[in-house]
Amino acid sequence: MKLSDSIQTLKGVGPKKARLLARLGIVSLEDLLTYYPRSYEDQSAVTPIAQLVPGERVTVAGVIAQVAEKQAGRRRMTILTVVIGDGTGYVRVTWFNQPFLKNKLQAGRRLFVTGKAAYAYGGRGQMEISQVQSYVLLEDGEDGASHLGIFPVYASTDGLNQTFFRKAMRTLLDSLANGADGEIPEVLPESVAARYHLMARCIAFQTIHFPKNAEELQAARRRLAFEELYLIQCGLLLLKKQAREQQQGIRHLASSTMLRQVLAGLPFSLTDDQKQVWREICRDMESDVPMRRLVQGDVGSGKTVLALLALVKTVENGFQGAIMAPTEILARQHFETFTKQLSGTPIRVGFLSGHITAKEKRDLYARIASHDVDIVIGTHALLQAGVQFAALGLVVTDEQHRFGVTQRATLEQQGAGQSMRLPDVFVMTATPIPRTMTLTVYGDLDVSQVRHLPPGRKPVRTFVRTTDRRPLIYKYVRTQAEAGRQSYVVCPLVEQSDEEDLPSAEEVYDELRYGILRGIPCGLVHGRMKDAEKEAVMQAFYENRIRVLVSTTVIEVGVNVPNATTLVVEHADRFGLAQLHQLRGRIGRGSLASYCILVSDSRTDTARERLSILAATQDGFQLAEEDLRLRGPGQFFGARQHGLPDLKIADVLRDTDLLLDARQAAQDTLGSKEDLSFVRPILASLYQEQFEHITDV
Ligand code: ADP
Ligand code: MG
């Protein structure tokens, strides 16, 4: 048996179960092994019924005295109630909608059940076990002790219950333990495991699924989280080292008249932050080690001008530059700004997107290949095979988190002409990423920050309002529209959903244009529209042919419409802080006073806390830290957007110390020939996709 074998090789898993498991991302035995419990049930002790305390999660053991079934409600729900006694008292246990249980739960049988103790009928007096988490019917003469312990609880889906998971995990672990050595291969070098006191990998897997006590569980978790962080760090550091070692970067020259000319032509002077980052960029570009720099800066902090300067620098040194934006409209915006800002120079700028004609594309490809264009601005289209630069000196990617690491590498691998030197790489992101996160996600990049906004910006004033104020809010939007100003209205969903009673973009759009905004040009844009349709609406908004834009979060990425002064977010509690902050960055881009109105009726403390933090601060980094604290890293990045493997067990927020240890260990490993040759094949097989260019080192 190999860990890479299909999940179907496991006893008890047929094609049907395999399909359900696949939905959870479990395809191989290893996937199952690393499907870590979401939580644990402490069933290490049985509570006598007489000692039940309402509100506590307990395990009770008793003999079934009575079984009753009834139907209730409009939907004819089946309610099955069983009374069990253990000599100290009686307790009711209730199941909903599980009619098949009736035949199993017969009077006289012994039952182990775990759930929450509460007063029956909402009153005092008799107790019941509600929210049953698990139960076991004991066979005649069976000893209950084997059912006591700490049990794993897995995130499950329809058709796969806890009993299934526990059994499957047991079977897998048992067969791994009984099989030949090395079936759970060690992935940490001995020196690392020893230095950080980490338990063996095979024991960690046994323990994480079936811990005997809390201390063991903690040690197993620590070991597995360390492993996860360590391997990612090794991969990222290896990428960085490789780029360094090849020493094939371009040494840009320091002096440059064209650059000075462009700087002088700007309608502003650089802020101190911008100057600092610009110095860092220059230092990188002037060294012959390829630059790999991430520039983080809040929306509107002025990163684009840094990209422009860097591109001018590479052009002045005889190279070409490329800048890649995540959407067509953003690319077009950069194209317009750059064309304007470079108008006094001989620099030739090209625009490449999926939407130009075949002929335009052919022409541009030819000009790129013959160095008849200096700067190419584009979308993903830049990554197509036909795009071959004559002498690529610098690659800028905007809004990095939308591109995967691999995608980024595609362009970077293009050598700069015959010299085959690696181009410099400059990544801009407006997502303020907390430090710990940066280390995990961008471990292969050096980081610069533009922390302060340019002077003269009017801060956006932010308010939190309940839904009963909507008529007033939209009346304000109407007055703004009549005065020629524009507004965004953001909704959490595209269309009406049965499950959730949330305002959808479609509904709000209709409500407004047929109601309070009648006669005002309104537009609707959401993620399910075709790209071309989306771009058309955005373009109309950009040109102020649309005054009020109703949307889902597709506007999040940096569109620049300085005339937009109002942002209304419906059901604001549904969004993350960082996301709301990004949205808010769409307004306050001009000299006009801007207002952000967060509509929410939520009464939960976290929701209120989050929204009030947002109203109180404009600092994206602070908000990002708060968001991470309140919502955890999974939510923070959204599904797989960052193009790195998801963390399965480590938690960059809670495990900061572990992350720093893992980072140190990874650094040490890169300095040790022996350890590195141990880890390298493991990285290659682990991160095939993400780190494919590691494999052929
Ligand atoms: P980002 O890309 O970081 O979101 P931009 O580069 O688009 O921000 O800058 C936002 C706006 O601020 C632009 O209109 C830009 O011209 C302006 N800007 C940039 N730097 C400065 C500065 N130092 N002083 C004044 N305005 C600036
Ligand atoms: Mg930008």
Side-chain angles (χ1 to χ4, degrees):
M1 183 161 67
K2 284 202 311 288
L3 284 182
S4 56
D5 288 349
S6 152
I7 189 74
Q8 286 201 50
T9 56
L10 196 67
K11 214 174 100 227
V13 181
K16 190 156 157 269
K17 288 269 192 278
R19 255 197 312 279
L20 293 171
L21 285 165
R23 274 200 230 150
L24 299 173
I26 303 171
V27 178
S28 68
L29 294 177
E30 175 147 30
D31 294 335
L32 184 64
L33 195 60
T34 55
Y35 196 70
Y36 300 121
R38 181 163 53 86
S39 60
Y40 298 85
E41 259 167 36
D42 189 351
Q43 285 170 224
S44 45
V46 167
T47 309
I49 291 172
Q51 289 170 22
L52 292 181
V53 176
E56 281 184 1
R57 207 153 275 290
V58 289
T59 299
V60 169
V63 176
I64 299 178
Q66 205 181 326
V67 183
E69 184 188 43
K70 66 174 181 191
Q71 315 270 316
R74 255 193 311 140
R75 296 200 184 160
R76 310 302 300 156
M77 187 160 52
T78 321
I79 304 176
L80 192 61
T81 305
V82 165
V83 176
I84 60 172
D86 70 351
T88 72
Y90 289 92
V91 68
R92 288 163 24 115
V93 187
T94 309
W95 282 270
F96 294 100
N97 278 339
Q98 303 199 29
F100 55 89
L101 274 182
K102 195 181 168 196
N103 301 327
K104 292 211 242 164
L105 300 169
Q106 280 154 7
R109 290 202 61 178
R110 279 193 304 146
L111 178 70
F112 251 67
V113 58
T114 301
K116 194 168 161 195
Y119 286 115
Y121 317 111
R124 312 250 120 201
Q126 205 192 352
M127 297 287 280
E128 81 175 342
I129 304 288
S130 63
Q131 302 172 26
V132 174
Q133 255 177 8
S134 68
Y135 63 91
V136 185
L137 271 171
L138 297 186
E139 297 302 325
D140 275 349
E142 189 188 355
D143 176 15
S146 67
H147 300 292
L148 291 178
I150 299 178
F151 292 100
V153 179
Y154 300 93
S156 54
T157 173
D158 278 352
L160 298 174
N161 57 19
Q162 297 303 328
T163 319
F164 165 79
F165 271 110
R166 288 175 191 178
K167 219 172 181 166
M169 215 59 92
R170 258 270 87 95
T171 314
L172 175 59
L173 286 165
D174 286 351
S175 49
L176 286 169
N178 294 335
D181 281 350
E183 278 182 332
I184 300 188
E186 185 52 71
V187 295
L188 294 178
E190 263 173 47
S191 66
V192 172
R195 183 161 342 128
Y196 295 95
H197 310 289
L198 300 164
M199 66 162 73
R201 191 161 188 247
C202 52
I203 297 174
F205 278 127
Q206 291 281 350
T207 312
I208 199 81
H209 292 293
F210 298 102
K212 294 213 185 55
N213 55 52
E215 292 79 57
E216 263 191 10
L217 173 59
Q218 179 53 28
R221 208 197 144 269
R222 179 168 172 274
R223 143 82 216 204
L224 294 168
F226 185 97
E227 163 185 323
E228 186 167 44
L229 295 169
Y230 166 82
L231 291 173
I232 291 180
Q233 291 302 317
C234 280
L236 292 170
L237 288 175
L238 200 56
L239 277 181
K240 187 165 168 178
K241 180 176 147 136
Q242 223 175 288
R244 284 260 148 83
E245 268 174 4
Q246 289 171 342
Q247 294 270 323
Q248 292 177 323
I250 298 160
R251 187 191 288 275
H252 289 86
L253 298 179
S255 76
S256 75
T257 38
M258 211 187 276
L259 197 56
R260 245 170 276 140
Q261 185 190 339
V262 172
L263 263 172
L266 291 176
F268 48 77
S269 49
L270 297 184
T271 63
D272 289 347
D273 278 6
Q274 283 171 320
K275 280 186 198 152
Q276 170 64 26
V277 176
W278 176 236
R279 272 194 297 272
E280 289 166 352
I281 292 169
C282 285
R283 204 180 49 219
D284 287 355
M285 289 182 74
E286 287 158 22
S287 118
D288 58 4
V289 176
M291 167 164 84
R292 306 180 71 80
R293 186 163 290 279
L294 173 74
V295 176
Q296 284 183 306
D298 225 336
V299 268
S301 60
K303 298 177 299 291
T304 314
V305 68
L306 296 171
L308 174 77
L309 296 177
L311 287 164
V312 171
K313 191 177 174 80
T314 205
V315 170
E316 190 157 35
N317 276 272
F319 296 97
Q320 292 166 295
I323 172 165
M324 182 161 69
T327 65
E328 166 127 12
I329 189 146
L330 265 178
R332 211 172 267 288
Q333 244 175 44
H334 286 328
F335 180 66
E336 283 170 19
T337 338
F338 284 18
T339 311
K340 219 180 291 160
Q341 284 164 334
L342 297 175
S343 59
T345 72
I347 297 176
R348 297 153 300 180
V349 185
F351 178 74
L352 180 63
S353 84
H355 294 107
I356 63 175
T357 67
K359 180 174 179 313
E360 283 172 325
K361 204 188 270 177
R362 259 198 322 275
D363 289 351
L364 188 56
Y365 281 7
R367 288 170 60 214
I368 293 173
S370 61
H371 204 156
D372 281 328
V373 59
D374 302 301
I375 294 176
V376 184
I377 299 172
T379 58
H380 286 84
L382 275 167
L383 301 172
Q384 272 153 17
V387 182
Q388 285 299 331
F389 284 86
L392 188 58
L394 174 71
V395 178
V396 182
T397 36
D398 189 4
E399 305 289 350
Q400 145 77 8
H401 64 291
R402 307 269 155 160
F403 299 106
V405 169
T406 340
Q407 285 183 310
R408 221 176 63 212
T410 311
L411 257 186
E412 293 158 23
Q413 294 300 308
Q414 290 205 18
Q418 263 87 42
S419 67
M420 284 315 288
R421 288 171 185 278
L422 283 183
D424 283 332
V425 169
F426 168 8
V427 175
M428 304 194 271
T429 177
T431 313
I433 302 161
R435 219 184 75 78
T436 47
M437 209 55 154
T438 316
L439 222 50
T440 328
V441 181
Y442 297 119
D444 62 328
L445 303 173
D446 299 309
V447 180
S448 297
Q449 291 186 345
V450 186
R451 281 208 77 130
H452 301 99
L453 299 184
R457 292 284 163 76
K458 288 232 171 99
V460 175
R461 298 188 57 191
T462 304
F463 305 94
V464 185
R465 292 287 181 265
T466 43
T467 43
D468 54 351
R469 304 289 286 277
R470 287 175 81 243
L472 279 176
I473 295 168
Y474 287 113
K475 219 167 125 199
Y476 174 75
V477 169
R478 183 175 183 101
T479 1
Q480 289 291 301
E482 282 164 352
R485 313 254 181 281
Q486 290 166 277
S487 303
Y488 295 103
V489 178
V490 178
C491 306
L493 294 179
V494 177
E495 55 190 33
Q496 185 60 345
S497 131
D498 293 337
E499 290 126 57
E500 296 182 278
D501 188 20
L502 294 178
S504 73
E506 285 175 349
E507 268 181 307
V508 171
Y509 175 59
D510 285 340
E511 175 198 342
L512 294 177
R513 69 188 170 131
Y514 295 128
I516 203 159
L517 298 182
R518 184 183 289 275
I520 304 279
C522 297
L524 172 68
V525 63
H526 57 70
R528 285 203 209 140
M529 287 162 62
K530 291 209 185 73
D531 280 351
E533 286 176 273
K534 242 181 340 204
E535 302 282 353
V537 178
M538 294 304 292
Q539 193 62 34
F541 188 69
Y542 188 48
E543 291 165 11
N544 201 0
R545 285 184 282 117
I546 288 176
R547 287 285 154 80
V548 179
L549 183 66
V550 182
S551 75
T552 51
T553 52
V554 290
I555 61 157
E556 197 187 328
V557 178
V559 200
N560 190 19
V561 182
N563 188 48
T565 52
T566 311
L567 168 73
V568 182
V569 184
E570 293 276 0
H571 224 302
D573 45 280
R574 291 292 299 232
F575 298 92
L577 274 185
Q579 203 178 14
L580 286 170
H581 181 63
Q582 288 274 310
L583 288 170
R584 183 168 62 177
R586 299 303 110 225
I587 56 172
R589 306 200 127 221
S591 53
L592 302 162
S594 299
Y595 298 93
C596 166
I597 304 153
L598 306 173
V599 183
S600 166
D601 281 338
S602 176
R603 307 220 169 277
T604 70
D605 288 346
T606 357
R608 302 206 139 236
E609 189 188 347
R610 282 176 40 215
L611 296 181
S612 60
I613 292 171
L614 198 79
T617 179
Q618 304 263 346
D619 182 340
F621 286 92
Q622 190 190 335
L623 288 168
E625 305 267 356
E626 289 293 340
D627 212 19
L628 196 55
R629 181 174 70 78
L630 291 167
R631 305 212 313 170
Q635 293 285 322
F636 185 83
F637 268 111
R640 292 187 171 270
Q641 261 187 6
H642 43 91
L644 274 180
D646 282 332
L647 294 176
K648 283 189 167 168
I649 189 162
D651 172 339
V652 289
L653 191 61
R654 275 194 357 219
D655 296 328
T656 312
D657 293 344
L658 206 58
L659 174 62
L660 295 175
D661 280 352
R663 172 95 173 163
Q664 183 57 53
Q667 253 150 5
D668 295 343
T669 297
L670 255 71
S672 147
K673 239 191 170 127
E674 194 184 329
D675 287 355
L676 187 56
S677 55
F678 174 81
V679 164
R680 194 168 258 172
I682 293 164
L683 294 176
S685 72
L686 255 182
Y687 301 131
Q688 264 161 24
E689 270 170 52
Q690 286 85 358
F691 296 132
E692 65 194 359
H693 36 305
I694 287 184
T695 54
D696 46 2
V697 187

